Amino acid sequence: MATISATCFLYILSWLWLCTMTLCGTVLEDLKNLHPPPEFNSTIMTNCLNNPSLRYCSSTPMNFDEIFKYTIVASHLCNESKNPICIESFPKVDLRNRPNIAPLYLSFEFFWRYCPLTIVSIDVSNNSLKGNFPIDVLHCTQIHALDLSINEFSGDIPIQSFSPLTNLTFLNLSYNCFSESEELSDSQFFKRFNSSSFLHSGALLDHRRFFTLKVVILLVGFPILVILIVIFLAWVCFQRPDFLPRKLQRRRTFTPAILNAATSGFSSRNLVGKSDVVHIYKGVLRDGTQVKIEMYWDEISRERYRKFVEECKVLSELDHKNLVRVLGWCKSRKFRAVITEWTRKENVEMWLLSESAPPPWSHRVKVLMGVVECMQYLQEEWPQVDYDLNTSSVLLTQDLEPLISRFKVVDHNISTTRNICKFGVFMLEVILNRKVQEEFEGDASGFIKYMRSVDHEELQQMIDERMELGETSFHQVKQAVSLGLMCIDQSNSEQPSLAFISNSIARAYKATLVLPSANHTITRSHGGHRFKGHKT
């Protein structure tokens, strides 16, 4: 071997070669039985002085036993590779079609670490070798050709480890089982060679297979995707239409899924009222709207359910600032529900009973104004809608706008006379003190009969003194009481029209907005009233 050039070392190699031909049958037996000659260490040191580039010269400290094993393997491998004169040169490692011994020589890591500098070609093809890439062979950085084809190597190709192999001009990794790598196709390493070096190696992206895969995905995956989208959109349309754009949403129709989401799964935290048949929840819709949900759990016939839906359709069309808005309804096999806007719990009755801040006349007439405007709206546009009109059913907003909260659709048009009578009772309840009303709690007919029998002087004593009326305001209140008495008189000749009532309340309301420069507070004594002057 030319890389070990000293005369004495050539003698050693010749002796080893003769030994391997005559005494030893295999490389493993030689590694076991042969020992370095006495002059071996000094010969190695001399070689390193003469040729420092020898690979074993760079090892520190030198492992002479390992170097000796290297010379034995080199001798055997040179002969196995059918090099013509191994004593002088070792140009190639040729283990083609040698599946019995190729794995053995590849396992000698120490040989490849001290790889002879004269080797320019390594060929271990067609051996059905398995395992990862034999990276030890890349210690032979001077080689020009490397053939690992027709094996079963797997894993990644160590692209970076090829960088020192600057003389490599031929590479064949075809017909292996390497891992597919997109990085390989784009690397400088791939550009040094061509695709023939990697035929069926598994490392390159198979564009035809990739195209076939895309076609399969397109033909199979796309229809599945379309079906899933259709199913999702159908679910959204029928279960959660509130996720759709506002223009595509079904107005006034709610689904159980929407109500479930609005109440956090019908949580007990959101349950604000409950009876045997009705559960009342507070909820928040997806757009942030707070709602009241009245859920009815009673079983009704199909005809009654149809009437329920028709009634909800009518009520959801109502649009007035003094009506609680009906947003829609929900139908389910287990329940039916009406959804309205969420309002404050305070009603007119609670407002009138306030001891800390009793409402003045100007605020009370504003409430009357709102109620009569709503009555006109219903009479003119929705005569089939009936409503409750008492201080407990009329709610109040923070701006003191009254809200009629109880109404329903009936099969016939409502009597105007009856509604005007209800308003008269409501007006008197707003103006008179609580003691009078308590005597007739829940007895509207008794209250009406009693009020018709009261004389003028007694009636003035019944006015709520907490209003602290001035002379002008007191005159307005007396007119309002007279109007209320006219309303509860159901004879056609005496009862005023709704238009007349509206005009009268409107004038009273406007008068409260423009106060005179001087006024008087009225105090009461038994049998009459007197005025106490003061500046306003």
Side-chain angles (χ1 to χ4, degrees):
M1 295 170 61
T3 54
I4 308 177
S5 54
T7 304
C8 183
F9 194 56
L10 287 175
Y11 166 77
I12 294 171
L13 283 179
S14 300
W15 175 75
L16 284 172
W17 181 77
L18 290 174
C19 286
T20 59
M21 295 297 293
T22 59
L23 299 176
C24 303
T26 66
V27 65
L28 291 177
E29 291 176 350
D30 285 351
L31 290 175
K32 181 179 179 181
N33 299 324
L34 294 181
H35 301 284
E39 301 86 0
F40 181 79
N41 292 5
S42 59
T43 301
I44 293 300
M45 296 301 295
T46 303
N47 285 344
C48 289
L49 290 174
N50 295 332
N51 188 1
S53 64
L54 296 173
R55 284 192 170 89
Y56 55 72
C57 296
S58 60
S59 59
T60 306
M62 283 188 180
N63 188 333
F64 291 102
D65 288 339
E66 195 172 72
I67 295 173
F68 180 70
K69 291 179 181 180
Y70 149 74
T71 61
I72 293 176
V73 172
S75 177
H76 275 276
L77 187 54
C78 184
N79 284 285
E80 291 287 356
S81 301
K82 297 181 174 55
N83 289 289
I85 306 175
C86 287
I87 296 177
E88 296 181 359
S89 177
F90 186 0
K92 65 180 181 179
V93 173
D94 188 355
L95 295 173
R96 286 175 296 172
N97 305 308
R98 307 292 296 277
N100 293 328
I101 64 170
L104 177 64
Y105 283 104
L106 288 177
S107 69
F108 293 135
E109 186 270 339
F110 57 84
F111 168 77
W112 300 106
R113 189 166 64 250
Y114 301 143
C115 176
L117 296 176
T118 58
I119 295 177
V120 294
S121 173
I122 299 175
D123 188 347
V124 291
S125 62
N126 197 24
N127 286 301
S128 301
L129 298 174
K130 297 182 179 180
N132 292 330
F133 187 98
I135 196 169
D136 289 337
V137 301
L138 300 184
H139 286 298
C140 301
T141 56
Q142 77 285 349
I143 61 174
H144 296 175
L146 176 62
D147 192 343
L148 301 178
S149 63
I150 317 177
N151 284 293
E152 298 179 23
F153 291 122
S154 58
D156 295 328
I157 297 175
I159 298 174
Q160 301 301 324
S161 299
F162 278 85
S163 299
L165 279 67
T166 56
N167 297 322
L168 187 65
T169 55
F170 174 81
L171 175 66
N172 191 0
L173 302 178
S174 302
Y175 299 96
N176 277 287
C177 305
F178 293 113
S179 300
E180 195 173 75
S181 173
E182 186 175 353
E183 178 186 357
L184 176 63
S185 302
D186 300 331
S187 66
Q188 288 294 123
F189 171 72
F190 179 76
K191 295 176 182 178
R192 286 176 59 184
F193 310 99
N194 54 54
S195 58
S196 62
S197 299
F198 305 94
L199 291 175
H200 302 286
S201 66
L204 296 180
L205 291 174
D206 190 338
H207 294 286
R208 286 183 300 177
R209 183 165 61 86
F210 184 64
F211 177 76
T212 304
L213 182 62
K214 288 198 295 184
V215 171
V216 170
I217 291 174
L218 186 64
L219 295 179
V220 178
F222 182 73
I224 293 175
L225 178 63
V226 170
I227 292 172
L228 292 176
I229 291 175
V230 169
I231 293 174
F232 173 74
L233 291 178
W235 179 85
V236 169
C237 290
F238 290 101
Q239 296 296 323
R240 291 301 302 272
D242 51 330
F243 279 101
L244 296 173
R246 187 171 295 275
K247 292 183 179 180
L248 300 179
Q249 293 180 16
R250 292 176 293 171
R251 294 182 60 212
R252 308 183 186 92
T253 303
F254 291 80
T255 65
I258 293 177
L259 301 188
N260 183 73
T263 58
S264 301
F266 299 111
S267 168
S268 57
R269 288 180 308 154
N270 295 321
L271 184 65
V272 295
K274 183 179 180 180
S275 68
D276 293 339
V277 178
V278 183
H279 292 180
I280 300 176
Y281 287 91
K282 179 180 180 181
V284 180
L285 300 181
R286 187 169 176 271
D287 61 1
T289 302
Q290 293 186 331
V291 294
K292 176 184 176 183
I293 303 170
E294 295 183 21
M295 301 179 63
Y296 298 87
W297 297 89
D298 55 337
E299 295 185 3
I300 59 176
S301 64
R302 182 174 297 181
E303 179 62 21
R304 283 188 61 195
Y305 181 77
R306 184 189 63 80
K307 289 183 178 180
F308 165 76
V309 173
E310 292 299 324
E311 182 177 9
C312 288
K313 288 181 179 178
V314 172
L315 297 182
S316 61
E317 293 287 342
L318 302 180
D319 185 16
H320 193 274
K321 66 182 179 67
N322 298 114
L323 273 176
V324 172
R325 281 193 308 138
V326 176
L327 302 178
W329 68 93
C330 173
K331 58 180 179 178
S332 170
R333 288 179 297 178
K334 296 182 179 180
F335 65 85
R336 54 196 172 97
V338 178
I339 297 89
T340 62
E341 66 175 328
W342 182 260
T343 56
R344 297 172 66 208
K345 293 183 178 180
E346 186 177 25
N347 56 33
V348 173
E349 182 179 23
M350 298 165 60
W351 179 62
L352 292 172
L353 291 174
S354 174
E355 294 294 339
S356 59
W361 165 244
S362 59
H363 290 175
R364 301 187 192 208
V365 75
K366 179 181 179 181
V367 170
L368 295 173
M369 185 68 191
V371 170
V372 78
E373 285 180 352
C374 186
M375 291 176 64
Q376 281 188 297
Y377 166 76
L378 293 175
Q379 177 180 290
E380 294 171 2
E381 300 191 29
W382 303 95
Q384 73 272 37
V385 176
D386 192 15
Y387 47 89
D388 284 344
L389 196 59
N390 54 67
T391 54
S392 61
S393 65
V394 177
L395 306 178
L396 279 179
T397 68
Q398 290 183 336
D399 298 327
L400 297 181
E401 285 289 349
L403 294 173
I404 296 177
S405 62
R406 298 176 189 168
F407 40 87
K408 62 181 179 180
V409 178
V410 294
D411 296 331
H412 56 278
N413 290 350
I414 307 302
S415 169
T416 304
T417 300
R418 177 169 165 270
N419 283 341
I420 290 176
C421 182
K422 289 193 294 186
F423 179 75
V425 174
F426 179 78
M427 177 183 285
L428 292 174
E429 288 179 336
V430 169
I431 296 173
L432 302 181
N433 60 52
R434 183 62 185 167
K435 292 180 181 179
V436 180
Q437 300 173 46
E438 288 175 349
E439 295 179 13
F440 301 95
E441 194 73 45
D443 183 12
S445 60
F447 179 74
I448 292 172
K449 185 177 180 180
Y450 172 76
M451 293 305 300
R452 288 175 180 170
S453 65
V454 175
D455 61 30
H456 185 70
E457 291 296 327
E458 288 179 316
L459 194 60
Q460 289 187 11
Q461 293 298 321
M462 295 178 187
I463 296 173
D464 191 352
E465 65 275 6
R466 296 179 305 156
M467 289 190 287
E468 297 185 354
L469 298 170
E471 182 178 0
T472 304
S473 299
F474 185 70
H475 178 68
Q476 294 173 0
V477 171
K478 286 195 301 179
Q479 288 182 326
V481 171
S482 299
L483 181 60
L485 293 174
M486 291 172 63
C487 291
I488 63 176
D489 186 353
Q490 299 186 32
S491 64
N492 293 331
S493 59
E494 296 295 333
Q495 194 178 52
S497 66
L498 194 55
F500 177 82
I501 296 172
S502 177
N503 291 333
S504 300
I505 298 296
R507 286 196 300 271
Y509 178 65
K510 290 178 181 178
T512 61
L513 301 179
V514 183
L515 296 177
S517 59
N519 209 336
H520 300 81
T521 300
I522 294 180
T523 60
R524 290 189 184 80
S525 60
H526 180 71
H529 63 271
R530 55 192 177 85
F531 300 99
K532 179 181 179 182
H534 70 89
K535 293 288 185 180
T536 58

